[in-house]
Amino acid sequence: MLSAVWQTLTRWYHQWGSPRYFFQYSGVLLRWLWPLAIVATMTGLVWGLAFAPADYQQGDSYRIIFIHVPAASAALLGYVSMGVAGLVGLVWRMKMADIMIKAIAPFGAILAAVALITGAIWGKPTWGTYWVWDARLTSMLLMLFLYLGVIALINAIPDPRQAGRAASLLSVVGVINVVIVKYSVQWWQSLHQGSTLKVVGETAMPAEMLSPLLISMLGIYLLFACTVLVRARTEIMRRERKSQWLKEALQ
Amino acid sequence: MYFESFDAFLQMGKHGIYVWSAYGISALLIGLNIGLALRARTLARAEVIRLIRREALNVADSTD
């Protein structure tokens, strides 16, 4: 059983590690993923904005949560994925790993920015200030800079292999900051509230608020997946533009 | 709908300015991201198709 799972995983690793296979099947996948992503995001946000009840303490300002938490958690998850791709790229020199880092970084940076901006706007009516230099906010700002650093490295180094190695290294090292962001509210005194969602244990949020939040998260994750696939396909088309298989695929 | 009227929905219990500016900026940034990604893909695809056409022309020339 376990060896069958392992075999399947290694087969997928090799298949999706091939630009040609990736290009072909990501195209099929996207046809389903785009509508799913848009429907989930719209459902979650409209539900959260118009149908979920108001918070008994924060009133309606808490509705910012339905974009703030999905954006922040997707930015974190995106950075971890970039770290995994970086590790694969550094250890096994896989071309697709470099392409994935380049594909993940732009939306990761945008989602980190969305989390910071919506958090600041939410902070004003809730804490009375847009910004404080506490552990959660500062480490999240650092995450935005790490994303921008990865993008800058890739753009600054003309040789794609060297650019890939540098970006991989920064991706792997930056994962430490993901851990800091995640646990900052427990390790240090913070103005920021604790995690709303818990993987282990009971979530304090009532179902009328939790359901739209989970659907919005799913939607933003799927949107992230869609743009990563689109950007990876773009990069494959740029790098393989002289390959015969690509010409055949586009004819 | 949780709100009693569309006006109440827009006002968000006096927090409308915060809620709607947060969502407006988010929509703008996420929309920009998707738009740029799709545009880059279209340009990359057009470049490959241009190469294919040029190659086809060269082949046609050499067989004349």
Side-chain angles (χ1 to χ4, degrees):
Chain A
M1 168 67 190
L2 214 64
S3 76
V5 172
W6 181 249
Q7 272 173 11
T8 313
L9 285 177
T10 42
R11 198 181 69 234
W12 280 350
Y13 175 83
H14 289 294
Q15 284 173 339
W16 287 89
S18 137
R20 182 177 180 175
Y21 186 95
F22 185 101
F23 190 82
Q24 189 182 351
Y25 286 93
S26 60
V28 180
L29 206 61
L30 276 171
R31 255 172 258 156
W32 295 92
L33 227 47
W34 271 124
L36 221 63
I38 291 166
V39 168
T41 308
M42 285 317 201
T43 309
L45 293 185
V46 170
W47 189 348
L49 276 170
F51 294 93
D55 185 73
Y56 80 103
Q57 277 182 325
Q58 298 187 17
D60 287 308
S61 68
Y62 100 96
R63 290 179 199 280
I64 294 173
I65 202 173
F66 298 108
I67 187 69
H68 176 76
V69 166
S73 83
L76 279 141
L77 196 69
Y79 208 98
V80 173
S81 325
M82 232 168 51
V84 171
L87 199 65
V88 170
L90 287 174
V91 177
W92 290 285
R93 301 286 162 90
M94 185 196 258
K95 255 198 288 183
M96 269 317 293
D98 292 349
I99 293 177
M100 288 315 280
I101 292 179
K102 197 173 176 184
I104 294 169
F107 201 25
I110 287 200
L111 286 172
V114 166
L116 285 164
I117 295 168
T118 55
I121 294 172
W122 192 2
K124 190 65 186 166
T126 315
W127 303 338
T129 176
Y130 288 108
W131 188 264
V132 282
W133 290 100
D134 86 341
R136 173 52 77 81
L137 281 70
T138 310
S139 56
M140 196 64 198
L141 185 65
L142 181 61
M143 168 168 285
L144 172 62
F145 291 150
L146 283 167
Y147 268 125
L148 295 176
V150 168
I151 297 170
L153 271 179
I154 293 172
N155 289 333
I157 305 172
D159 176 44
R161 298 187 82 176
Q162 281 183 343
R165 299 209 65 189
S168 296
L169 204 63
L170 188 55
S171 302
V172 172
V173 173
V175 171
I176 300 164
N177 184 57
V178 175
V179 181
I180 296 177
V181 174
K182 174 93 182 110
Y183 292 102
S184 53
V185 281
Q186 294 169 27
W187 290 345
W188 292 283
Q189 286 283 339
S190 176
L191 210 51
H192 195 285
Q193 65 196 61
S195 298
T196 307
L197 303 169
K198 291 181 184 71
V199 181
V200 187
E202 210 166 307
T203 298
M205 201 179 213
E208 312 91 86
M209 298 175 178
L210 187 61
S211 312
L213 180 58
L214 291 176
I215 296 170
S216 308
M217 282 177 78
L218 176 71
I220 296 293
Y221 285 6
L222 291 175
L223 275 184
F224 203 166
C226 287
T227 50
V228 166
L229 290 179
V230 167
R231 285 201 166 98
R233 288 165 66 77
T234 306
E235 189 60 19
I236 291 172
M237 284 194 278
R238 282 182 191 148
R239 293 189 184 197
E240 306 274 331
R241 63 180 184 278
K242 289 179 182 142
S243 301
Q244 196 53 41
W245 69 261
L246 181 64
K247 289 173 184 163
E248 280 161 16
L250 289 183
Q251 258 164 356
Chain B
M1 182 116 154
Y2 171 78
F3 298 94
E4 282 174 4
S5 65
F6 190 69
D7 255 7
F9 176 59
L10 290 182
Q11 276 166 12
M12 288 273 162
K14 290 184 194 155
H15 287 136
I17 182 81
Y18 300 110
V19 174
W20 294 116
S21 62
Y23 276 90
I25 294 168
S26 304
L28 200 75
L29 286 174
I30 293 170
L32 191 75
N33 165 71
I34 294 173
L36 286 175
L38 291 178
R39 200 178 75 113
R41 185 204 53 184
T42 308
L43 290 176
R45 188 194 280 152
E47 171 66 16
V48 179
I49 288 170
R50 200 180 61 84
L51 284 175
I52 297 172
R53 292 230 176 94
R54 206 170 63 183
E55 229 168 59
L57 276 177
N58 285 342
V59 172
D61 280 349
S62 60
T63 49
D64 272 348

